[in-house]
Structure formats: structure tokens, C-alpha cells
Amino acid sequence: MNDQHWGPSISADIVVIGGGTAGIGFVASLLKRDPHLNVTVIEPSSQHFYQPAWTLVGGGAFDVKDTVRPMSKVMPRQATWIQASVSAIDPDKRQLTLNDQRTIGYQNLIVCPGLRLAWEKIEGLQESLGQHGVTSNYSYQHAEYTWDQVQKLRDGRALFTQPAMPIKCAGAPQKALYLSCDHWRRSAVLHNINVEFNLAGAALFGVATFVPPLMKYIEKYNAQLAFNSNLVKVDGPAKTAWFEVKDTDGNVSRIAKTFDLLHVVPPQVSPDFIAQSPLADTAGWCEVDPHSLQHLRYPEVFALGDICGTSNAKTAAAVRKQVVVVAQNLLALRKQQLLPLKYDGYGSCPLTVEKGKVILAEFGYGGKLLPTFALDPTVPRRSAWWLKATLLPWFYWNGMLKGREWLTRVSKVD
């Protein structure tokens, strides 16, 4: 249902901000539990993207056209879709303001607008992206350009970057490096290419268990690691990138590096209407209990997905379990019952270390390993590649967005 009949002021029951993975997945799960609920979704985009496959697109292993569908095709039929964006939230009044100045009152609010890619925080990037060898798998428009440039590069210097955390899919910046290097190795040109990974942080991966097997691939591809090196400026025509590099004493210097290929991961921030609202924590993310996903100060509000001010990995796999927790807990709250489920911080990073092999990193809060399968999770496997490249995309469109809760075992509150 569209929003053509709405007037300037709207009174709604359950309002969901966001029609991405978290929003559509949650609404589908909630309506499967109770199809009579009155649910309104606020989402400005006319398209819905399966972003986890963009890394594969950049590695020549997936068709970018298969990562997008019309929003109208994935929006649950029982929900009302308002195609607009939120400009302000007043949780004390239980009211939202839209970009067209309409207001919406709500009984319950589910916050899942995702995060914002802050391309503008890197000087010169927006002018250079998609040309001069400057690309990013974090963009639907440019993932194909990554593969185009990888295929064309026969010698020279390839720079890959990773900004400060938090970002969505923390493994994606290095997946771009691995798939590129694997192609160059198979094409017998890797020895002609100087590969460097510039990370704003001080570790290759946030869960120490997975660092040794990943380091084997860094060494296999003869890639250099530059820690505490944050991309701040790009000049595409000059093929030069500038990094702010922090030494062991905390001193920061700016270093210029030339490139033939530059794969950029942009800084990522909370949308302004969340960061500037009473729902935000000190860092601008939506402040929720890490286990119930209920807001700490506004009990009628829940959040899930990338917007959460929780320490879990921001991945679609995390959302898969969060939708169950929030759907069950919301229904319990509306019946004035105790919230029954708790989220353990589960997230998954299928690390595509070469074409045809994946290290399936699954973990929860505190880096606790939470493997789905009874296999050593540090071993690269072809079965995990099949899961990443074939099964999960199919299940996303045909299962997760339709309320089918596969591999979503969650804990009950003690």
C-alpha cells in the first residue's frame, strides 16, 4: 500500500523507520506472527539492495543487476509504505517529522534506517570516484568499476583502505584486496603489482582468532599492511592519495602515496536525524540495551541493524537474529509481558580470501566464537563460498525478506 491518501498529520500504531535489510526483514517477521498488526514503514528509496554481494561484484563473481529489486516488490503487502524520509524525531511526544513537513504519531517505534556513507569526509573523493582508478565496493554504482579496473591492471600500485570503526561489514575492505590479488595471481601479474592495505586501526581483524589465517593470505599475496593510516584526501587525475598516519607516540603526519588502483571504504556515520535526536548515545548511534534491543530511556522504542549503538558487527547476518529478538520482544511489550528474548551480539563475516574459498567468521559480543556449523571456523572452505555466493543471496530474497527465520536460534532471557 502506498501513502497517497495520507494528510498532513498521521496517527499510526507501529512505525518502522527504514526499508533496508533490517526494516523489511523485521516487518515480514512481525506480520508473520500477527498479520493483523497496523504497521507503517517510512522509506524514501524506490529500490532495495542486497549489499553483501557487492564485494563479489567487485571480484567478478556476481552480477550487480541481481543485487537490486524494486522496493514495491519486497515491501510486505500488509504494511503501509510512506515513501519519504524522516527529518526529526521527538520521542517525548512520540512523533516524527518527515522531509515534507508531515508529522506522524506512533505507539511503538522501530528504528532501523541503517547508517550513512560519509563520502564527503575524504577530500576530493566524490569528484574522483568511478574514474582515474578510484573505486569502492560500498557503492552499487561503482562495484562493477572495481572489477573493470582489477582486470585492466597489469602492473603498478594498488591501494586498499579501511576507515575507523564502526563500519558495516568490517571484513569487506580486505575482501576487496583478497579477490583482487587472487585474480592477479591467477593472471600471473601479481608479482608486478605493489599491493598495500591502509587501515585506520591497529589490527587486521577485530576478532583475534581469525588474524593468523588471514595473515597467511596477506603473505601469500605479498600485500603490505599500513596500520594507523587513514585516507583523508584523493586527487584522481594526479593518482595520489593522502593518509594521516599515527606513530607509536600518537603523533600524526600526512603522507602522500601514488596509486594505479585505489579501493576506498568511506567513513560511516549515524544519520543526522538520529544523531541529533534524544534517541542517540554520545557517539550518535541509537542507544539500546545490547541484549533486548529496547531503547534505554524510551521503552516503546526498539532499534536493530546498523543504527544500533551496540558492539556487534554491522552485518546482514546480525540482522537475521535481531529481527527475531525485536519482533518477539515488541509483541511481549504490547501485551505488558516481560521481554522474552536476548540478542548475543551474533554477526558473521564471510571472508572471501580467494575466489572459491571463504573463512566463515561468526562471533558475538566480546569476540566470542559462535559458529553455526561444527567445523573449524578458521579454515577456508569451498562450502562457505557456496553459502556466501549462492545460498545466502537466494535465501535473502526468498526467505529473510518474507519472514522465514532460517538459522535464527536466539537465547531466552534467564
Side-chain angles (χ1 to χ4, degrees), residues 118-119 158 380 391:
W119 305 97
L391 181 59

Side-chain angles (χ1 to χ4, degrees), residues 136-401:
S136 179
N137 289 344
Y138 275 71
S139 163
Y140 173 77
Q141 288 79 15
H142 300 109
E144 281 187 308
Y145 183 64
T146 301
W147 178 232
D148 173 72
Q149 292 299 294
V150 167
Q151 290 176 288
K152 288 177 178 174
L153 191 65
R154 313 295 291 179
D155 56 56
R157 193 181 204 186
L159 302 179
F160 296 82
T161 77
Q162 179 172 304
M165 295 293 159
I167 62 172
K168 54 183 170 182
C169 192
Q174 57 189 290
K175 294 181 204 179
L177 181 151
Y178 298 139
L179 288 179
S180 299
C181 286
D182 183 55
H183 173 76
W184 294 326
R185 181 183 64 84
R186 293 169 190 257
S187 304
V189 297
L190 182 59
H191 64 284
N192 296 327
I193 300 171
N194 177 6
V195 179
E196 187 176 283
F197 189 22
N198 286 264
L199 305 92
L204 180 60
F205 195 70
V207 181
T209 304
F210 297 102
V211 172
L214 293 174
M215 279 303 301
K216 287 182 181 177
Y217 276 91
I218 293 291
E219 291 160 6
K220 175 180 180 178
Y221 298 136
N222 197 28
Q224 303 303 306
L225 297 178
F227 294 113
N228 300 307
S229 179
N230 186 42
L231 179 66
V232 293
K233 181 181 176 182
V234 176
D235 184 333
K239 298 228 174 220
T240 304
W242 286 263
F243 296 84
E244 287 189 348
V245 180
K246 188 185 298 182
D247 66 18
T248 51
D249 296 322
N251 301 311
V252 177
S253 57
R254 184 171 285 212
I255 296 176
K257 298 181 181 182
T258 57
F259 62 83
D260 296 282
L261 169 70
L262 175 64
H263 181 269
V264 179
V265 178
Q268 295 165 38
V269 299
S270 172
D272 288 346
F273 74 88
I274 297 293
Q276 296 166 7
S277 79
L279 297 180
D281 60 18
T282 54
W285 305 95
C286 194
E287 188 173 28
V288 294
D289 178 279
H291 298 292
S292 70
L293 301 178
Q294 183 182 38
H295 199 277
L296 294 181
R297 288 168 282 112
Y298 297 96
E300 69 280 1
V301 177
F302 289 83
L304 69 160
D306 294 346
I307 193 59
C308 288
T310 48
S311 61
N312 61 278
K314 296 183 184 296
T315 67
V319 169
R320 197 176 73 237
K321 295 205 174 186
Q322 290 173 349
V323 295
V324 179
V325 173
V326 176
Q328 292 278 77
N329 285 353
L330 173 65
L331 292 174
L333 178 76
R334 289 169 64 88
K335 295 173 183 174
Q336 298 182 311
Q337 299 170 351
L338 294 175
L339 307 190
L341 297 184
K342 62 180 182 180
Y343 172 58
D344 58 6
Y346 174 86
S348 171
C349 282
L351 294 151
T352 48
V353 288
E354 59 181 282
K355 191 171 184 179
K357 284 193 179 178
V358 163
I359 293 175
L360 187 57
E362 298 176 282
F363 48 90
Y365 289 135
K368 180 183 178 182
L369 299 190
L370 295 172
T372 300
F373 308 103
L375 298 167
D376 183 346
T378 65
V379 175
R381 299 182 189 278
R382 293 193 179 280
S383 58
W385 173 272
W386 177 78
L387 185 77
K388 163 74 176 172
T390 303
L391 181 59
L392 288 178
W394 178 88
F395 176 74
Y396 182 82
W397 298 114
N398 299 288
M400 185 173 171
L401 297 189

